[in-house]
Amino acid sequence: MQYSAIRKMAQMSSQAGIISFSAGAPSVETFPAEEILGVTSKVLAGESQCALQYGATLGHSGLIDAVMELCAERGLPGVRREEVAITGGSQQALDLLGRILVDPGDTVFFELPSYIGAISVFRNLQARMVGVRQADDGIEIEDLVARIRQIRGEGGRAKVIYLIPNFQNPSGVTLSPAKRRKLLEVADEYDLLLVEDDPYGEVYFDSSQPADLVPVKSFDLGGRVIYISTFSKILAPGLRTGWVVAAAPIIEKLDLAKQACDLCGSMLDQRIVAECWKQGIIQKHLPGIRVFYQAKCRAMLNALVDHMPAGIQWTRPAGGLFLWLSLPRHLDSGELLLECLESERVSYVIGQPFHVNGEGSHTMRLAFSRENEDNIALGVQRLARVFKSHPG
């Protein structure tokens, strides 16, 4: 087991006066706290005996109903109750799925870069983790096929492809519609399961985007794709509530794993989230969340254009909470971090831990979710000052 680089940076950047581009949590300004207070009072007044008691391992039936409705809105109609499991956030979903799908030595394919939390899960399970290059429109299919063939040629057990298709953490990249279909074709051809992690798909900046964000699972006819999502980015992460949509036999095994893990999730949290959906609180707040993060992202992109020296590149996300910055290869983001913290009072997350192949020392993740627009501009200017002081 290894300590999360994100958690470590969150501790360092919590000091007073630090402009933090490291904390990738949603902004507290997006939480509908007053509405949640009212919903909580209603739930406790009317359902306290059930809300404060143990419940079904796979989740509160009212929340399963809400997930089925939300999935239909995302392009996944026809999801059945026996295909849904409620989890303690999407992180628990990843951990439980890893336990039932992967044996030590099995190969899991990751985008380069990929989500640290997923990397930690599969590392703890002693999986063999193989990185696949990523382009501006998502994972490179030809490189994926080459890696699969290499593993199979060596006699290895290729099991799972893990990806974040929408506004990926950490890169901000979105998988193109053409690649979504092609990726499923590859999984079919080589008999792989595909774990589709979609925590950011609702946080898009352009109202025309949803047509391009249809889940890979929407094309899945054989139950090969396992779809994960969460209410953390569209309601509040403190209500530890995520979900899995998968073929019924997979959900049955997940039920067994979850019984051994926590018996059941918080029935209070799940009822609160279900009631927030039923009352339309989530739906009402989503447009404002999108505008909120779009403004922050625009502020960061504008500041990068205005201040960064030549030779530095960055992604231009169309949603989510992050973007990805690449320095000239002679610079090491880990070595520069202490200087940025001490001399300029600004933080980021180094890029190497997001790479399962050990690369990425010249990269970093910048989160625009926490700071206001003035601090974003100031923080980028400070970063640029450090980078300019280390010419090639």
Side-chain angles (χ1 to χ4, degrees):
M1 294 185 289
Q2 297 182 12
Y3 203 81
S4 167
I6 296 176
R7 291 285 170 175
K8 189 175 294 185
M9 279 308 311
Q11 293 177 1
M12 297 173 66
S13 62
S14 62
Q15 305 170 34
I18 295 285
I19 295 177
S20 175
F21 296 146
S22 55
S27 171
V28 297
E29 296 178 60
T30 66
F31 304 159
E34 292 186 9
E35 289 93 334
I36 292 174
L37 176 61
V39 166
T40 304
S41 298
K42 180 179 184 295
V43 168
L44 288 174
E47 306 176 58
S48 61
Q49 291 185 351
C50 295
L52 300 177
Q53 184 56 277
Y54 293 118
T57 300
L58 291 180
H60 167 52
S61 61
L63 185 55
I64 292 175
D65 290 337
V67 166
M68 292 165 64
E69 292 177 16
L70 180 52
C71 285
E73 292 186 5
R74 292 187 182 181
L76 288 176
V79 172
R80 297 174 296 168
R81 302 187 64 82
E82 60 267 28
E83 297 173 328
V84 180
I86 306 299
T87 59
S90 56
Q91 186 65 33
Q92 187 190 49
L94 287 170
D95 182 67
L96 293 172
L97 287 169
R99 297 188 200 190
I100 66 175
L101 299 179
V102 175
D103 293 316
D106 286 349
T107 298
V108 180
F109 299 94
F110 289 83
E111 299 152 306
L112 292 172
S114 189
Y115 171 50
I116 284 178
I119 293 172
S120 296
V121 163
F122 290 105
R123 177 186 291 120
N124 292 350
L125 294 168
Q126 302 176 56
R128 179 180 179 181
M129 298 184 290
V130 174
V132 181
R133 293 194 302 270
Q134 187 173 210
D136 292 340
D137 62 346
I139 193 168
E140 294 189 3
I141 302 297
E142 291 182 0
D143 191 46
L144 173 62
V145 170
R147 302 290 178 182
I148 295 171
R149 290 175 175 173
Q150 177 187 356
I151 298 300
R152 292 277 169 84
E154 296 170 353
R157 298 188 303 272
K159 276 278 190 78
V160 175
I161 303 168
Y162 171 78
L163 81 155
I164 304 173
N166 300 321
F167 324 123
Q168 192 226 28
N169 178 6
S171 69
V173 166
T174 296
L175 187 68
S176 69
K179 282 189 172 181
R180 291 172 194 244
R181 290 182 178 273
K182 186 62 178 177
L183 187 61
L184 185 55
E185 292 174 8
V186 171
D188 282 335
E189 180 179 355
Y190 293 96
D191 193 22
L192 298 171
L193 292 172
L194 199 158
V195 175
E196 180 180 13
D197 193 358
D198 187 22
Y200 308 103
E202 294 288 349
V203 189
Y204 53 82
F205 300 156
D206 187 331
S207 60
S208 67
Q209 281 182 278
D212 293 335
L213 305 179
V214 175
V216 177
K217 180 141 186 80
S218 66
F219 310 121
D220 178 27
L221 301 178
R224 189 173 298 284
V225 180
I226 301 166
Y227 182 79
I228 303 174
S229 193
T230 176
F231 289 96
S232 293
K233 312 305 184 295
I234 61 176
L235 184 60
L239 297 167
R240 300 301 302 137
T241 312
W243 74 86
V244 179
V245 173
I250 293 176
I251 296 298
E252 290 174 5
K253 294 297 184 183
L254 190 144
D255 189 1
L256 294 177
K258 197 170 190 303
Q259 289 174 31
C261 175
D262 65 358
L263 298 180
C264 69
S266 165
M267 291 297 106
L268 177 59
D269 284 5
Q270 292 183 23
R271 279 174 162 77
I272 291 169
V273 175
E275 187 65 24
C276 284
W277 178 262
K278 183 178 178 180
Q279 292 187 19
I281 292 170
I282 295 171
Q283 300 90 319
K284 181 182 72 174
H285 278 268
L286 268 173
I289 290 173
R290 293 166 186 144
V291 171
F292 180 84
Y293 289 121
Q294 182 182 27
K296 289 176 176 286
C297 182
R298 185 186 302 116
M300 180 167 281
L301 290 172
N302 289 341
L304 289 167
V305 170
D306 290 342
H307 300 294
M308 283 295 162
I312 294 180
Q313 300 176 323
W314 54 88
T315 57
R316 292 164 175 79
L321 310 182
F322 318 98
L323 62 78
W324 188 249
L325 191 144
S326 298
L327 301 169
R329 289 190 174 270
H330 71 277
L331 295 179
D332 187 305
S333 62
E335 294 176 358
L336 293 175
L337 179 57
L338 187 60
E339 182 179 350
C340 289
L341 281 166
E342 291 183 345
S343 66
E344 297 293 348
R345 309 293 288 168
V346 62
S347 69
Y348 53 81
V349 180
I350 61 175
Q352 189 275 330
F354 295 95
H355 292 75
V356 298
N357 62 355
E359 296 179 355
S361 61
H362 66 296
T363 62
M364 65 183 68
R365 190 191 75 177
L366 301 181
F368 47 79
S369 54
R370 169 176 161 173
E371 300 290 349
N372 62 42
E373 293 175 42
D374 289 341
N375 276 352
I376 288 172
L378 179 59
V380 169
Q381 187 175 0
R382 291 178 177 180
L383 285 179
R385 193 153 53 216
V386 172
F387 302 155
K388 288 174 183 176
S389 69
H390 295 272

